[in-house]
Amino acid sequence: MDYTPHTPEEIAAMLEKVGARSLEDLYRHLPAEILNPPIALPEAQPEWAVLERLRALQAKNRPAHKAFLGGGIRSHHVPPVVQALAQRGEFLTAYTPYQPEVSQGVLQATFEYQTMMAELAGLEVANASLYDGASALAEGVLLALRETGRMGVVVSQGVHPEYRQVLRTYLEAVGAELKTVPLEGGRTPVFPVGEEVGAVVAQNPNFLGALEEMAPLAEAAHRAGALFVAVADPLSLALLKPPGAYGADIAVGDGQSLGLPMGFGGPHFGYLATKKAFVRQVPGRLVSETVDAEGRRGFILTLQAREQYIRRAKAKSNITTNAQLTALMGAMYLAALGPEGLKEVALKGVAQAHRLRALLLEIPGVEPFTPEPFFNEFALRLPKDPLWVRKALAERGFHGATPVPPEYGAGLALFAATELHGEEDLLAFRETLAEVLR
Amino acid sequence: MDIPKDRFYTKTHEWALPEGDTVLVGITDYAQDALGDVVYVELPEVGRTVEAGEAVAVVESVKTASDIYAPVAGEVVEVNLALEKSPELINQDPYGEGWIFRLRPRDMADLDGLLDASGYQEALEAGA
């Protein structure tokens, strides 16, 4: 379908209707400096000179292709098929193509995305994506508060600190109370949950990369009548028990690990999956399968009356859009790899991260911090300031050592390895880090 | 358009049928027709105290969701649980099986401030 809004004929017809001879004529009451403001641009250059200049600027970048940075965003291989499909005009559109009469392809693709995310999470429904992991978490917690009618939230310190900041912002706006449970030895202890608590939140693998015992946390939440919200990297779900299997009522997370570039932290997509019983509380969009008047299979947006553009002030959420293109890239990635391929990618990452940690611990002064077992990233205590270390590594062409906020301890940095990192990469990184720390 | 004479009406298309010291509340034939197929009803909690004109329930159709307002002040004493499984009762029988909640008015005399059938008929015609 062509989304070009107005043809020259349509514009001519509209101008004729209002009695204007041309678009310039239509705007003639506006001052000239508003219509055509002077823009300070350099002299026109030949195309090759412009390209030359752009290449020189580009050469200043240090590509993060094989970054060793932890903190929830990692460098992964993106199969070319994902980029190629995502560039197709049917998907790459600023328009919101939700009219079922003309948008069956996009709606079906979104439906497939929802199905795959619900399966990964081990829950019954997933929405059509949210902006990123942090906003998905905030929406997941609001869902739990609406469902329980309570205003207390307890979050583990193992949840990404930036996600917790976003959550705090959302909760302040609705007047909910947020408490944080500190980690003990790098993991979330089982803690008592009060009757005022509507949502308990933990992350697995947690911010430090460690695997959490999620089932006892979910049980404690349920005993108090609260819902349990699990934050989980979808790639990790290829190997780990899905949130639905350990009692999570809501699973959320960031989809960057599913075929999206690191890209300075975005754009990503957030997933949100939950039980069918809570479907009317799900924020944003939901695509469903149905049949048309002649009994043919089709796809539609469903439960629209909960949505911001229908009910405005009374909508379940003020989120008015989703991250459709990036979410579809996640679906393309999952479809390209299949369950076995995804497992392979995850396993390779775990193996390389454990190898990396063993190598880095050989460096004098470097101490372990994240407890075993961990997934594909881990924290180490460094003998020098982590921010300084990160900069020194960058000067030597390596991206690594994400400084950990001081609330977790002093001198900590996160490291990660994925399927992209070969043995030679790991050895080269160890040499460079040893040099920096010498 | 069916407008029974045994009950009171609001300009926002609720009906109120006095039964002893309570009133049964639902939406009119006109309202259900305007909404189209009702797919979900959000019922109020029993025991809730409401003011006249306060949004008490939500009736959701395929394309929209509408608040249902309390016709008079009082306490919600019963809700139509059948609507949870069969919201279409509102379309099929808006004045009977499709009732939404039962209210015990703070003062039964408040009902006198509502429209009667002919008043509602006039309001509809004036609006149309």
Side-chain angles (χ1 to χ4, degrees):
Chain A
M1 179 179 179
D2 185 355
Y3 294 120
T4 308
H6 308 301
T7 62
E9 292 75 26
E10 285 165 342
I11 292 173
M14 285 189 276
L15 287 173
E16 197 191 331
K17 183 91 183 169
V18 296
R21 281 186 301 277
S22 62
L23 282 175
E24 290 71 31
D25 187 32
L26 181 68
Y27 297 127
R28 68 175 183 277
H29 59 288
L30 295 173
E33 61 270 26
I34 290 178
L35 270 183
N36 289 304
I39 302 169
L41 282 176
E43 283 287 296
Q45 299 281 316
E47 191 173 271
W48 63 82
V50 173
L51 285 174
E52 198 87 339
R53 172 102 177 101
L54 291 177
R55 280 195 203 100
L57 287 173
Q58 193 180 20
K60 291 183 171 179
N61 287 330
R62 296 173 198 274
H65 171 56
K66 285 188 184 178
F68 294 83
L69 292 162
I73 297 174
R74 286 171 290 272
S75 57
H76 285 288
H77 173 63
V78 180
V81 63
V82 173
Q83 288 291 351
L85 285 177
Q87 296 295 320
R88 288 187 61 104
E90 299 93 317
F91 298 122
L92 192 66
T93 167
Y95 180 65
T96 312
Y98 285 144
Q99 277 65 31
E101 299 86 346
V102 293
S103 304
Q104 283 300 301
V106 165
L107 288 168
Q108 179 172 2
T110 308
F111 181 79
E112 303 291 352
Y113 160 81
Q114 292 174 181
T115 305
M116 287 189 260
M117 295 315 293
E119 276 183 15
L120 272 177
L123 287 159
E124 290 158 302
V125 286
N127 75 356
S129 88
L130 296 162
Y131 301 131
D132 54 19
S135 60
L137 167 61
E139 291 288 354
V141 167
L142 291 181
L143 190 166
L145 296 185
R146 284 194 296 272
E147 188 61 37
T148 57
R150 299 178 181 184
M151 287 303 261
V153 179
V154 185
V155 61
S156 158
Q157 195 192 17
V159 174
H160 196 303
E162 290 167 3
Y163 288 25
R164 283 188 279 132
Q165 281 177 21
V166 171
L167 180 61
R168 191 172 305 126
T169 304
Y170 271 68
L171 293 184
E172 267 172 15
V174 299
E177 200 188 328
L178 180 66
K179 278 189 199 149
T180 307
V181 173
L183 294 178
E184 283 175 15
R187 288 214 171 75
T188 311
V190 177
F191 51 89
V193 181
E195 296 292 320
E196 77 290 352
V197 174
V200 172
V201 189
Q203 179 176 327
N204 186 45
N206 70 23
F207 176 62
L208 299 174
L211 299 187
E212 297 271 12
E213 283 283 354
M214 297 293 266
L217 300 174
E219 278 164 31
H222 292 155
R223 267 198 304 276
L227 298 187
F228 185 60
V229 182
V231 183
D233 173 357
L235 178 61
S236 76
L237 299 178
L239 300 181
L240 304 176
K241 222 183 223 190
Y246 53 69
D249 302 286
I250 299 155
V252 295
D254 195 289
Q256 186 267 330
S257 57
L258 304 180
L260 295 172
M262 297 175 84
F264 297 98
H268 294 176
F269 68 88
Y271 76 89
L272 186 150
T274 188
K275 297 174 173 174
K276 200 177 167 193
F278 307 147
V279 71
R280 284 182 183 276
Q281 302 292 347
V282 169
R285 314 239 154 118
L286 204 59
V287 177
S288 293
E289 190 186 56
T290 184
V291 286
D292 71 6
E294 284 157 32
R296 295 172 302 192
R297 185 185 189 222
F299 300 89
I300 48 151
L301 276 197
T302 190
L303 299 177
Q304 291 191 77
R306 309 159 305 125
E307 267 234 65
Q308 198 272 348
Y309 64 83
I310 302 276
R311 294 207 81 202
R312 301 179 187 277
K314 289 183 177 176
K316 296 299 180 195
S317 159
N318 284 321
I319 209 151
T320 76
T321 188
N322 68 348
Q324 183 178 281
L325 184 65
T326 44
L328 291 187
M329 286 171 75
M332 291 163 190
Y333 179 86
L334 289 170
L337 267 68
E340 287 307 313
L342 191 71
K343 205 180 278 182
E344 236 174 87
V345 167
L347 271 176
K348 183 90 193 296
V350 173
Q352 294 312 85
H354 284 71
R355 173 74 180 140
L356 176 67
R357 189 172 92 133
L359 286 173
L360 299 186
L361 284 174
E362 292 170 3
I363 301 170
V366 173
E367 293 169 15
F369 189 80
T370 296
E372 301 255 15
F374 64 92
F375 189 63
N376 59 0
E377 59 178 276
F378 53 87
L380 298 175
R381 198 183 293 279
L382 304 180
K384 289 187 180 177
D385 175 56
L387 186 59
W388 180 87
V389 171
R390 195 188 72 188
K391 286 179 179 163
L393 283 169
E395 280 164 17
R396 288 164 177 78
F398 281 96
H399 293 282
T402 306
V404 171
E407 63 169 299
Y408 294 93
L412 301 176
L414 282 165
F415 296 86
T418 68
E419 76 284 357
L420 281 181
H421 300 92
E423 179 70 7
E424 276 176 23
D425 299 315
L426 303 184
L427 291 172
F429 185 67
R430 178 189 59 179
E431 285 320 303
T432 309
L433 182 63
E435 191 186 309
V436 164
L437 293 176
R438 199 168 291 143
Chain B
M1 203 61 63
D2 187 16
I3 306 175
K5 293 194 164 34
D6 60 351
R7 59 196 78 197
F8 298 94
Y9 297 88
T10 66
K11 283 181 180 164
T12 49
H13 311 292
E14 290 88 7
W15 54 257
L17 176 68
E19 287 184 349
D21 65 342
T22 67
V23 287
L24 214 54
V25 181
I27 62 170
T28 63
D29 189 25
Y30 171 84
Q32 71 78 19
D33 186 60
L35 279 171
D37 288 347
V38 173
V39 292
Y40 184 70
V41 183
E42 203 178 298
L43 296 165
E45 267 184 49
V46 172
R48 178 172 157 191
T49 309
V50 296
E51 293 301 319
E54 188 177 329
V56 177
V58 181
V59 172
E60 193 178 308
S61 66
V62 176
K63 285 281 181 188
T64 190
S66 303
D67 286 326
I68 306 304
Y69 304 100
V72 291
E75 183 193 343
V76 177
V77 291
E78 191 186 353
V79 296
N80 187 358
L81 292 174
L83 294 177
E84 286 183 351
K85 284 205 170 140
S86 309
E88 67 275 12
L89 288 174
I90 288 185
N91 295 116
Q92 291 162 0
D93 190 7
Y95 295 113
E97 295 294 308
W99 67 278
I100 300 173
F101 57 94
R102 185 186 294 278
L103 205 61
R104 180 175 291 118
R106 198 180 295 156
D107 184 352
M108 286 299 272
D110 288 349
L111 289 171
D112 298 337
L114 300 176
L115 302 168
D116 60 12
S118 61
Y120 180 62
Q121 174 83 51
E122 277 169 32
L124 280 185
E125 279 161 11

